Amino acid sequence: MLDQYGRRIRDLRVSVTDRCNLRCVYCMPADGISFRPAAELMQDDELVSLIRIGAEVGVEKVRLTGGEPTVRANLVDIVREIAAMPGIRDVSMTTNAVLLGRLAEPLARAGLRRVNVSLDTLDPTQFARITRGGRLQDVLDGLAAAERAGLRPIKLNAVVVRNFNDHAVVDLAALSIDHDWDVRFIEMMPFGTVGDFAEAGVINSEETMARIEAALGPLAPVDLSGEDPARTYRLPNAKGKVGFISPVSEPFCAKCGRLRLTMDGKLRLCLLRDDEEDLLTPLRRGESYEQVKERFRAAAFRRPFGHALAKRLYPHQRVMIQIGG
Ligand code: SAM
Ligand code: SF4
């Protein structure tokens, strides 16, 4: 499946819920968000149908996200159905890992291949401040369970926030020395009601990289091709890698092959623009499977090029927890 700019679309990120057991400062405004009524969210069969349509038009990789995907009921069954779909060769999940202690094993058995774990600091107090009350030990236990369950490769994602965890990047990067993990640093993006906060606190990848190199030595390039949104490097004698994802300072639109399905059944054509195609309403209205598939294909073709962060404009309709990162 190609879009109007000839970019091949293979990845679908599916948000399975807008609920979460943490409340990260860059993802949710301080006074919370109003969750969508359950009736507006995709039911299990609707979610599976829309992903199946995606697989039939060319999606090969599905990543589950949210909100926190592990708080969705029946997640293991959903994963089993997706993993069995013809055409799908990779099912992964982005998670805060808090519930992986008990879910890693059943998810792996159901066909989940790998996880990206969000972890912004190794300091328990700082962790509680960024997540507004989370317990670091839960995440560390979840990570250990993911390793035991064979969910590989493990990638860690840290959003770097000035005056929160800007110095924690050194300890996080150092994890890649003894572990075969990809530790990736993400520039904070502005969305909706956290837009001003994100614009004020963003730290670009260049600054993060300089801080890591000053403390841990030179980062040798591993993959700067842009095929993956992360540019990856290796610290001296490290088993794992360090990566930088720079949507603010170096947009990677030219190689982007990704679509998103929001928890309320809308195909979002770019993370950083508000263009969406509602698929759930037509499905519920009784449109045929073939008609909904045509909507999917047509929307995917329309995928825009370029986002507007450089012009200091950002999406306003949803914050990250409502989109699915
Ligand atoms: N709850 C899961 C988690 O935290 O991994 C999955 C959903 S979360 C919205 C997905 C990713 O988006 C996380 O890695 C999170 O750090 C990232 N994220 C959230 N808000 C962001 C922002 N404003 N800028 C950059 N990344 C953000
Ligand atoms: Fe929850 Fe993930 Fe957002 Fe943090 S980043 S509030 S864990 S959805």
Side-chain angles (χ1 to χ4, degrees):
M1 176 171 42
L2 299 180
D3 70 13
Q4 58 177 328
Y5 299 104
R7 294 171 298 182
R8 186 149 173 217
I9 305 166
R10 281 184 255 220
D11 298 7
L12 183 63
R13 301 206 159 202
V14 182
S15 175
V16 296
T17 180
D18 60 350
R19 311 297 202 265
C20 188
N21 41 10
L22 298 179
R23 304 161 56 82
C24 302
V25 289
Y26 41 73
C27 186
M28 240 201 229
D31 46 3
I33 56 162
S34 47
F35 294 115
R36 292 293 169 91
E40 289 180 19
L41 307 183
M42 290 183 288
Q43 303 300 303
D44 292 358
D45 58 332
E46 294 166 335
L47 193 146
V48 167
S49 287
L50 292 178
I51 298 176
R52 194 179 305 284
I53 285 175
E56 286 174 12
V57 301
V59 167
E60 296 170 10
K61 297 162 80 176
V62 173
R63 172 174 293 277
L64 302 175
T65 180
E68 174 48 40
T70 55
V71 305
R72 175 150 182 151
N74 305 333
L75 184 69
V76 173
D77 295 333
I78 292 171
V79 165
R80 190 174 300 109
E81 292 217 45
I82 301 170
M85 285 177 194
I88 298 297
R89 57 180 175 84
D90 186 38
V91 186
S92 61
M93 179 170 75
T94 299
T95 174
N96 61 30
V98 167
L99 296 176
L100 276 190
R102 62 181 163 80
L103 277 172
E105 184 64 42
L107 283 170
R109 264 189 275 118
L112 187 76
R113 283 192 42 195
R114 57 201 179 91
V115 283
N116 286 8
V117 170
S118 301
L119 177 59
D120 299 330
T121 174
L122 296 175
D123 175 291
T125 310
Q126 218 168 50
F127 182 82
R129 185 164 168 246
I130 292 192
T131 58
R132 300 196 183 99
R135 256 174 39 103
L136 176 66
Q137 193 56 48
D138 294 339
V139 179
L140 301 179
D141 293 346
L143 259 171
E147 286 221 293
R148 278 196 306 277
L151 294 169
R152 292 180 58 81
I154 288 186
K155 296 184 183 177
L156 294 190
N157 288 339
V159 177
V160 190
V161 189
R162 197 174 297 286
N163 298 329
F164 277 82
N165 66 338
D166 31 354
H167 293 275
V169 299
V170 172
D171 287 348
L172 287 166
L175 288 174
S176 74
I177 298 174
D178 292 330
H179 301 270
D180 181 18
W181 295 345
D182 275 19
V183 182
R184 297 139 28 116
F185 297 96
I186 305 175
E187 289 174 347
M188 179 167 51
M189 294 171 277
F191 293 96
T193 40
V194 295
D196 292 344
F197 172 83
E199 284 200 343
V202 65
I203 295 194
N204 64 32
S205 298
E206 202 184 329
E207 185 177 337
T208 302
M209 218 171 146
R211 188 166 276 136
I212 293 169
E213 287 197 303
L216 300 171
L219 283 161
V222 175
D223 182 1
L224 310 183
S225 69
E227 294 306 324
D228 186 286
R231 287 167 294 128
T232 54
Y233 300 80
R234 199 180 297 278
L235 284 166
N237 304 316
K239 291 186 181 149
K241 289 177 274 180
V242 172
F244 299 89
I245 301 178
S246 320
V248 180
S249 65
E250 285 187 50
F252 34 81
C253 310
K255 301 244 170 133
C256 175
R258 191 169 285 173
L259 283 168
R260 292 181 152 75
L261 184 62
T262 60
M263 72 282 164
D264 50 353
K266 304 205 166 55
L267 203 59
R268 189 173 172 103
L269 308 183
C270 167
L271 169 65
L272 291 166
R273 292 164 74 125
D274 283 322
D275 315 50
E276 294 176 352
E277 172 80 17
D278 186 358
L279 298 179
L280 183 59
T281 307
L283 191 71
R284 287 186 175 173
R285 248 196 339 246
E287 264 190 21
S288 74
Y289 190 78
E290 286 307 315
Q291 281 171 310
V292 180
K293 194 192 283 189
E294 204 34 57
R295 279 182 191 276
F296 192 120
R297 210 193 311 263
F301 184 75
R302 278 204 324 272
R303 248 167 34 111
F305 192 100
H307 59 66
L309 291 187
K311 288 180 253 161
R312 301 184 71 80
L313 290 172
Y314 49 83
H316 278 91
Q317 299 304 320
R318 302 177 191 255
V319 283
M320 196 68 149
I321 193 167
Q322 298 164 312
I323 301 170

